[in-house]
């Protein structure tokens, strides 16, 4: 889940399952449309929402591989599995 703030209540955090997000638009306020037709207007910018989603998904993969959780803004390490390493580019 990612933590967001409604535009009308910026002091209150709510959690949103990013798997339900269909679109994120800046109109100029950030409007998040879900697959169930619900919409949220949030305080965060679209780029911030994308970064939160990226960090959330990265933390799931990291946890599944037994590594530490990845915080927003951090870069994940690329791990090549045996037999899947791409050939070096020349």
């Amino acid at each position: 889940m990612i933590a967001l703030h409604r535009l009308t209540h910026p002091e209150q955090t709510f959690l949103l399952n990013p798997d339900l997000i269909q679109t994120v638009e800046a109109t100029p306020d950030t409007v998040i449309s879900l697959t169930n037709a619900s919409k949220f207007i949030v305080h965060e910018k679209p780029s911030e929402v994308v970064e939160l989603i990226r960090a959330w998904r990265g933390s799931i993969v990291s946890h599944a591989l037994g590594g530490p959780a990845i915080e927003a803004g951090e870069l994940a390490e690329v791990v090549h599995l045996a037999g899947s390493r791409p050939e070096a580019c020349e």
Side-chain angles (χ1 to χ4, degrees), residues 24-81:
V24 178
E25 304 173 69
T27 62
D29 297 325
T30 304
V31 178
I32 298 176
S33 300
L34 305 183
T35 57
N36 64 5
S38 296
K39 292 189 181 210
F40 293 97
I41 300 174
V42 298
H43 185 352
E44 290 79 9
K45 294 179 174 63
S47 60
E48 294 172 309
V49 174
V50 168
E51 185 57 36
L52 289 168
I53 294 168
R54 186 174 288 138
W56 178 74
R57 291 189 192 283
S59 71
I60 291 172
V61 172
S62 178
H63 180 72
L65 294 174
I70 298 171
E71 299 296 326
E74 289 185 45
L75 296 176
E77 178 182 351
V78 175
V79 177
H80 295 285
L81 302 176

